[in-house]
Amino acid sequence: METLHIQGDRMAWWREARFGMFIHWGLYAIPAGVWEGRCIPGIGEWIMYNARIPVKEYEKLAKRFNPFKFDAKEWVRIAKMAGMKYIVITAKHHDGFCMFDTDLTDYNIVKATPFGRDPLKELSEACREEGLRLGFYYSQTLDWHHPDGMGNFWDYDLSKQEFTRYLREYVKPQLEELLRNYGPIAILWFDITTPTPELARELKDFVRRLSPETIISGRIGGGLRTPSTPFKGLGDYITMGDNQIPDRRIDDDWEVPMTLNDTWGYKSYDHNWKTPGRIVQMLVDIVSKGGNLLLNVGPTAEGEIPKPSVDVLLEVGRWLKNNGESIYGAGAAPLDVPIDGPYRCTYKPGMVYLHVFGWPWDGRLRVFGAKGRIEPRSASLLREPSTTLPWEWEGEGDLVIRVPEKALDSIDTVIILKEGMPKKGLA
Ligand code: H79
């Protein structure tokens, strides 16, 4: 009972938040996808692996890392203007370089770079001031720099590695530093899964003891993998595959990490940005299925979030400023939406939000199979509450709403259906 109680409290803000900023920032921002004059295919933060860069070579990047334009307050301001409620930043990615001050290794941003500052400390202060939650991504399994971490077969003899020693004498003490020295840590975002269920359990218990309020991502691993909880393991929520939006609603807490282009860590030549409209519609789709969107930015080696990312985020933020009521604290509707349907449906008790992506040419918006699932008492436009819209039931329980000729918002116009008593047993 006690754990259930804490579990409920721990996730409460997260369910409300729905939209967070992922930040992948590390030494890989310097090569930015290019090594020895060659463009290295693949995601930018994997360049050490993909180009098989020896530890001794990759380490030299640290001496060149001086992100003098880094401004924690500016990053937090951008996240806030985008309508994001939390930030998760890479404290240590697979390359093993620590973006925080640590006693466990000198291979960290404070001791090994000309920059000499601790950006996580500065971010934690900025987040506290601005009321955003802060979480850390920490690569608990892969570490291509540490002799006992997993994955680096080009420098180390894998048969001589002692992963458990790395986990106990390196990972756990570092997590303790992260949980003790940076104020309340909202999320620990583990990746890949921990090699054995026993070690995943050990890690989880360790985090819980130190910081019971910290949410643990689904990729900690361990636990049972069932069809309904594919990627939850011992974590507090399901982490979907990178960029994988599920086809239908999931009746559990879940999150999808997503890139704005085709990389997490900055790549100088990746310009394949998703449009603001696409991001808004993806966010709506995700919330309509009960999940959270963790949307990534990859800052440059100078410490700036790339301008094209900022432009997209600000546009998304503008939409959320007008329509946030239908996102924050909302979840899946008790309604099945056709997967290619021109609308999505988010829900709060007593309120159904119809998100219209494709405006009907004949002024009749058909909501399929709504009978018995929702019971509207009134219909209106979210942005023009005084405009009430007539509706009727048609055919096999379709709700047909008469809408104005033109969409108020070409990305997504939101219609509110107010219900009487919330329906029991369908949510
Ligand atoms: O942090 C981001 C990724 O670096 C990380 N998860 C997100 C949030 C991640 N870790 N592992 N993976 C993603 C799977 C990686 C697969 C690939 Fe590859 C890396 C495909 C291409 C590069 C490994 C190397 C498999 C093929 C080549």
Short mmCIF file of all heavy atoms in Angstrom, two decimals, residues 194-244:
data_model
loop_
_atom_site.label_atom_id
_atom_site.label_comp_id
_atom_site.label_asym_id
_atom_site.label_seq_id
_atom_site.Cartn_x
_atom_site.Cartn_y
_atom_site.Cartn_z
N THR A 194 19.29 -2.67 -18.46
CA THR A 194 20.42 -3.17 -17.67
C THR A 194 20.58 -4.65 -18.00
O THR A 194 19.57 -5.34 -18.18
CB THR A 194 20.10 -2.95 -16.17
OG1 THR A 194 19.61 -1.61 -16.01
CG2 THR A 194 21.33 -3.14 -15.30
N PRO A 195 21.81 -5.15 -18.09
CA PRO A 195 22.04 -6.50 -18.62
C PRO A 195 21.27 -7.64 -17.95
O PRO A 195 20.84 -8.55 -18.65
CB PRO A 195 23.55 -6.70 -18.43
CG PRO A 195 24.12 -5.35 -18.39
CD PRO A 195 23.08 -4.44 -17.81
N THR A 196 21.09 -7.62 -16.65
CA THR A 196 20.32 -8.71 -16.03
C THR A 196 19.20 -8.12 -15.17
O THR A 196 19.33 -7.01 -14.65
CB THR A 196 21.19 -9.61 -15.12
OG1 THR A 196 21.56 -8.85 -13.95
CG2 THR A 196 22.44 -10.10 -15.83
N PRO A 197 18.11 -8.87 -14.97
CA PRO A 197 17.03 -8.41 -14.11
C PRO A 197 17.51 -8.14 -12.69
O PRO A 197 17.04 -7.20 -12.04
CB PRO A 197 16.04 -9.58 -14.12
CG PRO A 197 16.36 -10.37 -15.34
CD PRO A 197 17.81 -10.17 -15.62
N GLU A 198 18.47 -8.94 -12.22
CA GLU A 198 18.98 -8.76 -10.85
C GLU A 198 19.67 -7.40 -10.72
O GLU A 198 19.49 -6.68 -9.74
CB GLU A 198 19.96 -9.88 -10.48
CG GLU A 198 19.33 -11.26 -10.34
CD GLU A 198 18.97 -11.89 -11.69
OE1 GLU A 198 19.57 -11.51 -12.73
OE2 GLU A 198 18.06 -12.76 -11.70
N LEU A 199 20.48 -7.08 -11.71
CA LEU A 199 21.20 -5.79 -11.65
C LEU A 199 20.24 -4.62 -11.83
O LEU A 199 20.42 -3.56 -11.23
CB LEU A 199 22.32 -5.75 -12.69
CG LEU A 199 23.53 -6.67 -12.37
CD1 LEU A 199 24.52 -6.66 -13.53
CD2 LEU A 199 24.21 -6.27 -11.07
N ALA A 200 19.23 -4.82 -12.66
CA ALA A 200 18.21 -3.77 -12.83
C ALA A 200 17.52 -3.52 -11.49
O ALA A 200 17.30 -2.37 -11.08
CB ALA A 200 17.19 -4.17 -13.89
N ARG A 201 17.21 -4.60 -10.79
CA ARG A 201 16.56 -4.51 -9.48
C ARG A 201 17.47 -3.79 -8.48
O ARG A 201 17.03 -2.91 -7.73
CB ARG A 201 16.19 -5.93 -9.00
CG ARG A 201 15.90 -6.11 -7.54
CD ARG A 201 14.72 -5.31 -7.06
NE ARG A 201 13.45 -5.70 -7.69
CZ ARG A 201 12.32 -5.03 -7.54
NH1 ARG A 201 12.27 -3.93 -6.81
NH2 ARG A 201 11.22 -5.44 -8.14
N GLU A 202 18.75 -4.16 -8.50
CA GLU A 202 19.71 -3.55 -7.58
C GLU A 202 19.79 -2.04 -7.82
O GLU A 202 19.79 -1.23 -6.89
CB GLU A 202 21.09 -4.21 -7.80
CG GLU A 202 22.17 -3.71 -6.85
CD GLU A 202 23.49 -4.47 -7.01
OE1 GLU A 202 23.46 -5.67 -7.38
OE2 GLU A 202 24.55 -3.86 -6.76
N LEU A 203 19.81 -1.67 -9.09
CA LEU A 203 19.87 -0.26 -9.47
C LEU A 203 18.61 0.48 -9.03
O LEU A 203 18.66 1.56 -8.45
CB LEU A 203 20.03 -0.19 -10.99
CG LEU A 203 20.65 1.05 -11.59
CD1 LEU A 203 22.00 1.33 -10.99
CD2 LEU A 203 20.78 0.85 -13.11
N LYS A 204 17.49 -0.15 -9.28
CA LYS A 204 16.22 0.49 -8.92
C LYS A 204 16.13 0.70 -7.41
O LYS A 204 15.78 1.79 -6.96
CB LYS A 204 15.05 -0.36 -9.39
CG LYS A 204 13.72 0.19 -8.88
CD LYS A 204 12.52 -0.51 -9.43
CE LYS A 204 11.26 0.12 -8.84
NZ LYS A 204 10.04 -0.35 -9.48
N ASP A 205 16.44 -0.34 -6.65
CA ASP A 205 16.37 -0.22 -5.18
C ASP A 205 17.28 0.88 -4.68
O ASP A 205 16.94 1.64 -3.76
CB ASP A 205 16.74 -1.56 -4.51
CG ASP A 205 15.67 -2.62 -4.75
OD1 ASP A 205 14.56 -2.24 -5.20
OD2 ASP A 205 15.94 -3.81 -4.52
N PHE A 206 18.44 0.98 -5.31
CA PHE A 206 19.41 2.00 -4.92
C PHE A 206 18.84 3.41 -5.14
O PHE A 206 18.90 4.27 -4.26
CB PHE A 206 20.69 1.79 -5.74
CG PHE A 206 21.79 2.75 -5.41
CD1 PHE A 206 22.54 2.59 -4.25
CD2 PHE A 206 22.11 3.80 -6.27
CE1 PHE A 206 23.57 3.47 -3.95
CE2 PHE A 206 23.13 4.68 -5.96
CZ PHE A 206 23.87 4.52 -4.81
N VAL A 207 18.25 3.61 -6.30
CA VAL A 207 17.67 4.92 -6.62
C VAL A 207 16.50 5.22 -5.69
O VAL A 207 16.37 6.32 -5.16
CB VAL A 207 17.22 4.97 -8.10
CG1 VAL A 207 16.44 6.24 -8.39
CG2 VAL A 207 18.43 4.86 -9.03
N ARG A 208 15.65 4.24 -5.48
CA ARG A 208 14.48 4.44 -4.62
C ARG A 208 14.88 4.85 -3.20
O ARG A 208 14.26 5.71 -2.60
CB ARG A 208 13.66 3.15 -4.54
CG ARG A 208 12.74 2.94 -5.70
CD ARG A 208 11.54 3.89 -5.62
NE ARG A 208 10.47 3.41 -6.48
CZ ARG A 208 10.31 3.76 -7.76
NH1 ARG A 208 11.11 4.64 -8.30
NH2 ARG A 208 9.33 3.25 -8.47
N ARG A 209 15.91 4.15 -2.67
CA ARG A 209 16.34 4.46 -1.30
C ARG A 209 16.84 5.89 -1.20
O ARG A 209 16.52 6.61 -0.26
CB ARG A 209 17.46 3.50 -0.87
CG ARG A 209 17.01 2.47 0.18
CD ARG A 209 18.19 1.80 0.87
NE ARG A 209 19.24 1.35 -0.04
CZ ARG A 209 19.20 0.21 -0.73
NH1 ARG A 209 18.15 -0.60 -0.63
NH2 ARG A 209 20.20 -0.13 -1.52
N LEU A 210 17.61 6.31 -2.19
CA LEU A 210 18.19 7.65 -2.16
C LEU A 210 17.16 8.73 -2.44
O LEU A 210 17.23 9.82 -1.89
CB LEU A 210 19.29 7.76 -3.21
CG LEU A 210 20.65 7.19 -2.87
CD1 LEU A 210 21.53 7.18 -4.12
CD2 LEU A 210 21.31 8.03 -1.77
N SER A 211 16.23 8.43 -3.33
CA SER A 211 15.32 9.48 -3.80
C SER A 211 13.99 8.88 -4.26
O SER A 211 13.77 8.66 -5.45
CB SER A 211 16.00 10.22 -4.96
OG SER A 211 15.16 11.23 -5.43
N PRO A 212 13.11 8.60 -3.29
CA PRO A 212 11.86 7.89 -3.61
C PRO A 212 10.97 8.64 -4.61
O PRO A 212 10.19 8.01 -5.31
CB PRO A 212 11.14 7.78 -2.26
CG PRO A 212 12.06 8.30 -1.22
CD PRO A 212 13.25 8.92 -1.87
N GLU A 213 11.12 9.96 -4.71
CA GLU A 213 10.23 10.71 -5.61
C GLU A 213 10.71 10.69 -7.06
O GLU A 213 9.98 11.09 -7.96
CB GLU A 213 10.04 12.15 -5.10
CG GLU A 213 11.23 13.07 -5.33
CD GLU A 213 12.29 12.96 -4.24
OE1 GLU A 213 12.24 11.99 -3.45
OE2 GLU A 213 13.19 13.83 -4.20
N THR A 214 11.94 10.23 -7.29
CA THR A 214 12.47 10.23 -8.65
C THR A 214 11.81 9.14 -9.51
O THR A 214 11.79 7.97 -9.14
CB THR A 214 14.00 10.02 -8.63
OG1 THR A 214 14.60 11.09 -7.92
CG2 THR A 214 14.57 9.97 -10.05
N ILE A 215 11.30 9.55 -10.66
CA ILE A 215 10.68 8.62 -11.61
C ILE A 215 11.78 7.90 -12.39
O ILE A 215 12.76 8.52 -12.81
CB ILE A 215 9.77 9.40 -12.58
CG1 ILE A 215 8.57 9.99 -11.83
CG2 ILE A 215 9.32 8.52 -13.74
CD1 ILE A 215 7.73 10.93 -12.68
N ILE A 216 11.60 6.61 -12.57
CA ILE A 216 12.60 5.80 -13.29
C ILE A 216 12.03 5.37 -14.65
O ILE A 216 10.92 4.84 -14.72
CB ILE A 216 12.97 4.56 -12.45
CG1 ILE A 216 13.64 5.01 -11.13
CG2 ILE A 216 13.87 3.61 -13.23
CD1 ILE A 216 13.86 3.88 -10.14
N SER A 217 12.81 5.60 -15.71
CA SER A 217 12.31 5.30 -17.06
C SER A 217 12.22 3.79 -17.30
O SER A 217 12.92 3.00 -16.66
CB SER A 217 13.23 5.93 -18.12
OG SER A 217 14.41 5.17 -18.26
N GLY A 218 11.39 3.41 -18.26
CA GLY A 218 11.13 2.01 -18.54
C GLY A 218 12.35 1.23 -19.04
O GLY A 218 12.37 0.01 -18.96
N ARG A 219 13.34 1.95 -19.52
CA ARG A 219 14.49 1.23 -20.08
C ARG A 219 15.52 0.83 -19.03
O ARG A 219 16.64 0.45 -19.37
CB ARG A 219 15.15 2.06 -21.18
CG ARG A 219 14.22 2.21 -22.37
CD ARG A 219 14.97 2.68 -23.60
NE ARG A 219 14.00 3.08 -24.62
CZ ARG A 219 14.28 3.87 -25.64
NH1 ARG A 219 15.50 4.37 -25.76
NH2 ARG A 219 13.35 4.17 -26.52
N ILE A 220 15.13 0.89 -17.76
CA ILE A 220 16.02 0.31 -16.75
C ILE A 220 16.05 -1.21 -16.95
O ILE A 220 17.01 -1.87 -16.58
CB ILE A 220 15.57 0.68 -15.32
CG1 ILE A 220 16.65 0.28 -14.31
CG2 ILE A 220 14.22 0.07 -14.97
CD1 ILE A 220 16.42 0.78 -12.90
N GLY A 221 14.99 -1.75 -17.57
CA GLY A 221 14.96 -3.19 -17.82
C GLY A 221 14.50 -3.98 -16.61
O GLY A 221 13.94 -3.42 -15.67
N GLY A 222 14.74 -5.28 -16.65
CA GLY A 222 14.25 -6.16 -15.60
C GLY A 222 12.74 -6.30 -15.69
O GLY A 222 12.11 -5.83 -16.64
N GLY A 223 12.14 -6.95 -14.72
CA GLY A 223 10.69 -7.08 -14.72
C GLY A 223 10.21 -8.01 -15.82
O GLY A 223 10.98 -8.51 -16.62
N LEU A 224 8.92 -8.20 -15.84
CA LEU A 224 8.32 -9.09 -16.84
C LEU A 224 8.00 -8.31 -18.09
O LEU A 224 7.51 -7.21 -18.04
CB LEU A 224 7.02 -9.69 -16.29
CG LEU A 224 7.13 -10.97 -15.47
CD1 LEU A 224 5.73 -11.43 -15.08
CD2 LEU A 224 7.86 -12.06 -16.25
N ARG A 225 8.28 -8.92 -19.22
CA ARG A 225 7.85 -8.33 -20.49
C ARG A 225 6.59 -9.04 -20.92
O ARG A 225 6.62 -10.19 -21.30
CB ARG A 225 8.92 -8.54 -21.55
CG ARG A 225 9.91 -7.43 -21.64
CD ARG A 225 10.71 -7.54 -22.91
NE ARG A 225 11.50 -6.32 -23.08
CZ ARG A 225 11.84 -5.83 -24.25
NH1 ARG A 225 11.47 -6.42 -25.36
NH2 ARG A 225 12.55 -4.73 -24.32
N THR A 226 5.48 -8.35 -20.84
CA THR A 226 4.23 -8.95 -21.30
C THR A 226 3.78 -8.13 -22.50
O THR A 226 4.27 -7.03 -22.72
CB THR A 226 3.16 -8.89 -20.21
OG1 THR A 226 2.78 -7.52 -20.02
CG2 THR A 226 3.67 -9.44 -18.89
N PRO A 227 2.83 -8.67 -23.26
CA PRO A 227 2.38 -7.91 -24.44
C PRO A 227 1.84 -6.53 -24.06
O PRO A 227 1.95 -5.59 -24.83
CB PRO A 227 1.26 -8.79 -25.00
CG PRO A 227 1.60 -10.17 -24.54
CD PRO A 227 2.24 -10.01 -23.19
N SER A 228 1.26 -6.42 -22.85
CA SER A 228 0.68 -5.12 -22.49
C SER A 228 1.71 -4.20 -21.82
O SER A 228 1.49 -3.00 -21.73
CB SER A 228 -0.52 -5.31 -21.58
OG SER A 228 -0.12 -5.99 -20.42
N THR A 229 2.81 -4.74 -21.34
CA THR A 229 3.85 -3.88 -20.76
C THR A 229 5.18 -4.19 -21.43
O THR A 229 6.10 -4.71 -20.82
CB THR A 229 4.00 -4.08 -19.24
OG1 THR A 229 4.29 -5.46 -18.98
CG2 THR A 229 2.78 -3.67 -18.48
N PRO A 230 5.28 -3.87 -22.72
CA PRO A 230 6.45 -4.31 -23.47
C PRO A 230 7.76 -3.67 -23.02
O PRO A 230 8.78 -4.32 -23.03
CB PRO A 230 6.12 -3.94 -24.91
CG PRO A 230 5.06 -2.90 -24.82
CD PRO A 230 4.37 -3.05 -23.51
N PHE A 231 7.71 -2.43 -22.65
CA PHE A 231 8.97 -1.74 -22.41
C PHE A 231 8.99 -1.04 -21.05
O PHE A 231 9.49 0.04 -20.92
CB PHE A 231 9.24 -0.72 -23.51
CG PHE A 231 8.98 -1.27 -24.88
CD1 PHE A 231 7.90 -0.82 -25.63
CD2 PHE A 231 9.81 -2.24 -25.42
CE1 PHE A 231 7.65 -1.33 -26.90
CE2 PHE A 231 9.57 -2.76 -26.68
CZ PHE A 231 8.49 -2.31 -27.42
N LYS A 232 8.38 -1.66 -20.07
CA LYS A 232 8.31 -1.00 -18.77
C LYS A 232 9.34 -1.56 -17.80
O LYS A 232 9.95 -0.80 -17.05
CB LYS A 232 6.90 -1.18 -18.19
CG LYS A 232 6.68 -0.38 -16.92
CD LYS A 232 5.22 -0.34 -16.55
CE LYS A 232 5.00 0.51 -15.32
NZ LYS A 232 3.58 0.57 -14.95
N GLY A 233 9.53 -2.85 -17.84
CA GLY A 233 10.50 -3.46 -16.93
C GLY A 233 10.18 -3.06 -15.50
O GLY A 233 9.01 -3.04 -15.09
N LEU A 234 11.22 -2.67 -14.76
CA LEU A 234 11.02 -2.25 -13.38
C LEU A 234 10.80 -0.74 -13.29
O LEU A 234 10.75 -0.17 -12.21
CB LEU A 234 12.24 -2.64 -12.55
CG LEU A 234 12.47 -4.15 -12.37
CD1 LEU A 234 13.84 -4.41 -11.77
CD2 LEU A 234 11.38 -4.74 -11.49
N GLY A 235 10.69 -0.10 -14.44
CA GLY A 235 10.53 1.35 -14.44
C GLY A 235 9.14 1.78 -14.00
O GLY A 235 8.25 0.96 -13.78
N ASP A 236 8.97 3.09 -13.87
CA ASP A 236 7.68 3.62 -13.43
C ASP A 236 6.72 3.83 -14.59
O ASP A 236 5.54 4.04 -14.39
CB ASP A 236 7.90 4.97 -12.72
CG ASP A 236 8.60 4.79 -11.39
OD1 ASP A 236 8.15 3.95 -10.59
OD2 ASP A 236 9.62 5.46 -11.16
N TYR A 237 7.26 3.80 -15.79
CA TYR A 237 6.39 3.98 -16.96
C TYR A 237 7.00 3.27 -18.15
O TYR A 237 8.18 2.92 -18.15
CB TYR A 237 6.18 5.47 -17.26
CG TYR A 237 7.43 6.21 -17.67
CD1 TYR A 237 7.83 6.24 -19.00
CD2 TYR A 237 8.21 6.88 -16.73
CE1 TYR A 237 8.97 6.92 -19.39
CE2 TYR A 237 9.36 7.56 -17.11
CZ TYR A 237 9.73 7.58 -18.44
OH TYR A 237 10.88 8.25 -18.82
N ILE A 238 6.19 3.05 -19.16
CA ILE A 238 6.65 2.42 -20.38
C ILE A 238 7.40 3.45 -21.24
O ILE A 238 6.88 4.54 -21.48
CB ILE A 238 5.45 1.89 -21.20
CG1 ILE A 238 4.71 0.80 -20.42
CG2 ILE A 238 5.91 1.39 -22.57
CD1 ILE A 238 3.35 0.46 -21.03
N THR A 239 8.60 3.11 -21.64
CA THR A 239 9.29 3.93 -22.62
C THR A 239 9.16 3.24 -23.97
O THR A 239 9.62 2.12 -24.16
CB THR A 239 10.79 4.08 -22.28
OG1 THR A 239 10.93 4.53 -20.94
CG2 THR A 239 11.45 5.08 -23.23
N MET A 240 8.50 3.92 -24.91
CA MET A 240 8.38 3.36 -26.25
C MET A 240 9.74 3.38 -26.94
O MET A 240 10.66 4.06 -26.49
CB MET A 240 7.39 4.18 -27.09
CG MET A 240 5.97 4.19 -26.56
SD MET A 240 5.25 2.55 -26.37
CE MET A 240 5.23 1.99 -28.09
N GLY A 241 9.87 2.64 -28.04
CA GLY A 241 11.09 2.72 -28.83
C GLY A 241 11.31 4.14 -29.32
O GLY A 241 10.36 4.93 -29.43
N ASP A 242 12.55 4.49 -29.60
CA ASP A 242 12.86 5.83 -30.09
C ASP A 242 11.98 6.15 -31.30
O ASP A 242 11.92 5.39 -32.25
CB ASP A 242 14.34 5.93 -30.49
CG ASP A 242 15.27 5.71 -29.27
OD1 ASP A 242 14.77 5.69 -28.14
OD2 ASP A 242 16.49 5.59 -29.49
N ASN A 243 11.27 7.26 -31.23
CA ASN A 243 10.39 7.73 -32.31
C ASN A 243 9.21 6.80 -32.63
O ASN A 243 8.61 6.93 -33.70
CB ASN A 243 11.20 7.96 -33.60
CG ASN A 243 12.13 9.15 -33.48
OD1 ASN A 243 11.70 10.26 -33.18
ND2 ASN A 243 13.42 8.92 -33.68
N GLN A 244 8.86 5.90 -31.72
CA GLN A 244 7.79 4.94 -31.99
C GLN A 244 6.49 5.34 -31.28
O GLN A 244 6.38 5.17 -30.07
CB GLN A 244 8.18 3.55 -31.49
CG GLN A 244 9.48 3.02 -32.08
CD GLN A 244 9.31 2.56 -33.51
OE1 GLN A 244 8.42 1.78 -33.80
NE2 GLN A 244 10.16 3.07 -34.39
#
